[in-house]
Amino acid sequence: PYMYWWSGSMRSDDCYKGGGGVADAVGSFGNISLFTYVNPNTGALDGTWYNSYQVIQRCNTAIQKMQPISEEDFPVKNSRMGEMLFLRGFTHFRLKEFFKYIRSFTLYRLKKLWKYVPYIDENVVGMSDAFEAVPNRELDKGNDLYLWQRILDDFKKAEELLPLDQMDKGRVSRNA
């Protein structure tokens, strides 16, 4: 879900998808490129939303499973918790960040869908109805700053837990 090509450059009209014409686009990229027939069910948009919340749920599941384990039994617990918080925060951030690219889609009213996103953390448990009950906008809040604060809190907690350097290549460190 993090292909900057279509979610940033192409949607903001900074690039063309390439190829021999609009018909050769995979999925909905041709429509996004031309700003035509774009709606909340457009494949690339809907797929990004779905895949992002899969990432968030996997992070939350890992956090839930690690909480009862002691550091003696799992010496890298803090590091792994920090990784999950970072990935969850980054995924929520990307969902919120899409808002700035959607400004050119005001005709389709998509920006209202992405400015406010359901913030789901490890405390949301149960079946799909529990997740569907989480609103994408808390009406008692005057704006979306509370979502930015929750994302920032994830990053701050991750920074506290992550080591400065990771032994394993490819793992997120405090520098991220």
Side-chain angles (χ1 to χ4, degrees):
Y2 304 117
M3 294 177 7
Y4 285 101
W5 165 70
W6 79 266
S7 67
S9 299
M10 192 171 72
R11 290 171 72 181
S12 66
D13 199 25
D14 289 340
C15 78
Y16 176 65
K17 66 153 189 67
V22 295
D24 68 352
V26 176
S28 55
F29 295 123
N31 290 338
I32 291 172
S33 178
L34 296 173
F35 304 106
T36 57
Y37 306 110
V38 178
N39 61 53
N41 295 325
T42 297
L45 302 176
D46 185 54
T48 298
W49 184 272
Y50 177 79
N51 290 330
S52 293
Y53 278 101
Q54 281 189 322
V55 170
I56 290 166
Q57 186 54 37
R58 288 177 182 169
C59 291
N60 288 335
T61 299
I63 291 169
Q64 291 165 352
K65 300 292 183 186
M66 282 189 281
Q67 283 176 338
I69 301 173
S70 70
E71 287 184 61
E72 289 96 33
D73 292 334
F74 189 41
V76 293
K77 175 183 177 178
N78 284 341
S79 179
R80 298 302 181 263
M81 285 285 243
E83 290 174 25
M84 294 303 104
L85 290 165
F86 176 84
L87 291 172
R88 181 176 76 190
F90 179 76
T91 305
H92 276 113
F93 173 78
R94 282 290 290 154
L95 285 167
K96 290 272 304 142
E97 184 188 28
F98 277 162
F99 166 67
K100 74 180 187 182
Y101 296 122
I102 294 176
R103 290 177 191 207
S104 60
F105 283 81
T106 53
L107 177 64
Y108 301 101
R109 307 280 189 232
L110 287 177
K111 72 179 184 176
K112 292 182 180 178
L113 293 176
W114 296 79
K115 182 175 180 179
Y116 293 95
V117 298
Y119 180 85
I120 298 184
D121 65 12
E122 70 275 10
N123 298 311
V124 180
V125 295
M127 303 305 281
S128 60
D129 58 335
F131 296 94
E132 291 171 12
V134 177
N136 66 331
R137 181 176 184 179
E138 294 181 19
L139 297 177
D140 61 330
K141 310 288 193 231
N143 54 41
D144 65 327
L145 293 179
Y146 70 96
L147 288 169
W148 288 119
Q149 186 60 52
R150 290 177 187 168
I151 292 167
L152 180 62
D153 290 345
D154 273 351
F155 285 140
K156 285 182 176 181
K157 285 183 215 168
E159 183 181 26
E160 292 171 11
L161 294 170
L162 286 167
L164 194 55
D165 293 307
Q166 288 277 19
M167 297 291 290
D168 299 327
K169 298 287 184 198
R171 289 198 173 274
V172 68
S173 69
R174 188 176 305 161
N175 294 316

